[in-house]
Amino acid sequence: MDLLSLEIFRTVVREGGITRAAEQLHRVQSNVTTRIRQLEASLGVPLFSRGHKRMVLTPAGETLLGYAERLLNLAGEAREAVQPAVPQGRLRIGSMESTAASRLPLPLARFHQEWPAVQLELSTGPTQQLIDRVRAFTLDAALVAGPLEDPLFDVLPLYAEELVVLAARSHPPINGPDDLQSRTLVAFEHGCAYRRHAENWLASGSVPGRRPDRILELGSYHAMLACVAAGAGIALAPRSVLDLHNCTESLAIYPLGRAGKVTTFLIRRQDYSSPAFDALSQILQAEALKSKQLGSESNYSLK
């Protein structure tokens, strides 16, 4: 069992099969198949169940994957420790969709310009899914909504978001959950931190603990805002996202006050570090500070 075999094994798992793994690794399929079979032979156990259209990990494969991630990450750290601390290699970042759309374009453009040797991979998802992926070594770091208290992670606060209530323009004024005409919540899938905040807000009315009558799960803010504008329900969203869409004139927007204050954190495992991550972290902090200063100047000019 060597590092190359473990890298091939991990890529097959991530890509879901031999063909896509071979393309990703720039190898012929027969070579990838041979390396997987040699790895299974050396361990004396099958790593994949081959009775499916998609290669599925066996229990032994699941166990090996965790060790493979740790060994490959440790090998990467060893290479960086004996080489100049120049950002290079691959950096896998996760982000909430709202953060990726409203906060990341400028810092990521700057990062690509300053460190072109880094292969930056960005994937989006709900907060809980991103946390689980950082925990499982399939992401190096992620931007998630707080609060988050877990000693496994190094946590850096970056953005202060304001969640607002969105309803159709025809909806009467909303000062609290008791003012809702419909208790249908338009939200992302389970695991979204903003959905959790919305459910907690709905449960804070005169009937404590009351849940939404219905949850309409959608996969994008475009779809969510369109459904809310059509009167399908209400939603909670960061105010920073609304500036990116053109349908806000058909929406009524109501502040939540202190209940709407949510911090976005950059998280990583405490046992992970790399020059590429450090460079990205510095750029994100600088851009976040700049956006706060611009926001303060804007607020001051309106007074």
Side-chain angles (χ1 to χ4, degrees):
M1 182 170 60
D2 54 47
L3 291 177
L4 178 57
S5 295
L6 292 178
E7 178 63 34
I8 292 173
F9 165 69
R10 182 173 69 175
T11 305
V12 171
V13 175
R14 288 180 177 172
E15 299 299 325
I18 297 293
T19 302
R20 292 181 59 182
E23 294 174 354
Q24 182 72 20
L25 295 165
H26 305 291
R27 291 173 173 267
V28 296
Q29 295 183 36
S30 59
N31 177 267
V32 175
T33 299
T34 299
R35 296 301 294 248
I36 292 297
R37 288 177 176 170
Q38 290 174 343
L39 182 59
E40 290 178 320
S42 69
L43 294 171
V45 292
L47 300 174
F48 295 96
S49 174
R50 293 171 173 82
H52 305 76
K53 292 183 179 180
R54 180 182 176 91
M55 296 183 70
V56 178
L57 283 174
T58 63
E62 292 279 3
T63 299
L64 179 64
L65 180 61
Y67 284 101
E69 293 282 4
R70 291 195 287 273
L71 287 169
L72 291 168
N73 287 339
L74 186 60
E77 291 179 18
R79 283 191 293 269
E80 290 164 359
V82 299
Q83 294 174 349
V86 176
Q88 57 186 322
R90 182 174 62 175
L91 181 61
R92 302 164 300 170
I93 299 295
S95 171
M96 297 179 292
E97 181 177 328
S98 58
T99 304
S102 64
R103 301 294 192 181
L104 295 188
L106 287 178
L108 291 190
R110 177 181 164 189
F111 182 83
H112 282 299
Q113 184 178 15
E114 293 185 10
W115 307 111
V118 178
Q119 180 186 347
L120 181 64
E121 299 177 2
L122 176 66
S123 57
T124 60
T127 283
Q128 189 57 55
Q129 181 186 103
L130 297 173
I131 292 172
D132 292 341
R133 290 188 62 189
V134 175
R135 180 179 285 110
F137 299 96
T138 60
L139 285 175
D140 299 318
L143 289 149
V144 302
L148 177 64
E149 296 181 4
D150 189 324
L152 178 67
F153 299 113
D154 180 52
V155 177
L156 175 68
L158 282 179
Y159 308 112
E161 300 289 2
E162 179 194 2
L163 295 183
V164 293
V165 181
L166 305 177
R169 176 66 70 178
S170 59
H171 197 290
I174 298 174
N175 295 310
D178 292 337
D179 296 327
L180 298 178
Q181 290 184 331
S182 168
R183 294 186 66 85
T184 295
L185 175 63
V186 183
F188 286 105
E189 64 183 293
H190 184 73
C192 172
Y194 296 157
R195 169 173 168 169
R196 184 176 67 249
H197 279 277
E199 292 175 337
N200 291 339
W201 178 75
L202 288 170
S204 68
S206 59
V207 182
R210 183 179 176 185
R211 300 184 60 79
D213 295 335
R214 179 188 176 203
I215 297 180
L216 181 58
E217 292 187 355
L218 297 174
S220 73
Y221 278 107
H222 282 288
M224 287 174 60
L225 297 182
C227 284
V228 171
I234 63 100
L236 262 66
R239 191 180 289 274
S240 59
V241 169
L242 301 183
D243 296 334
L244 305 175
H245 299 271
N246 297 322
C247 63
T248 53
E249 291 184 358
S250 60
L251 297 171
I253 303 171
Y254 300 97
L256 282 172
R258 294 182 62 183
K261 306 301 181 183
V262 180
T263 301
T264 298
F265 295 94
L266 176 64
I267 68 167
R268 64 170 172 177
R269 292 178 60 100
Q270 295 221 10
D271 56 3
Y272 168 80
S273 65
S274 75
F277 172 83
D278 291 340
L280 178 62
S281 177
Q282 291 173 8
I283 289 175
L284 288 174
Q285 290 181 74
E287 292 294 333
L289 180 60
K290 187 186 302 182
S291 68
K292 289 178 183 177
Q293 291 173 341
L294 290 174
S296 297
E297 292 171 2
S298 175
N299 291 337
Y300 180 81
S301 64
L302 292 174
K303 291 182 179 179

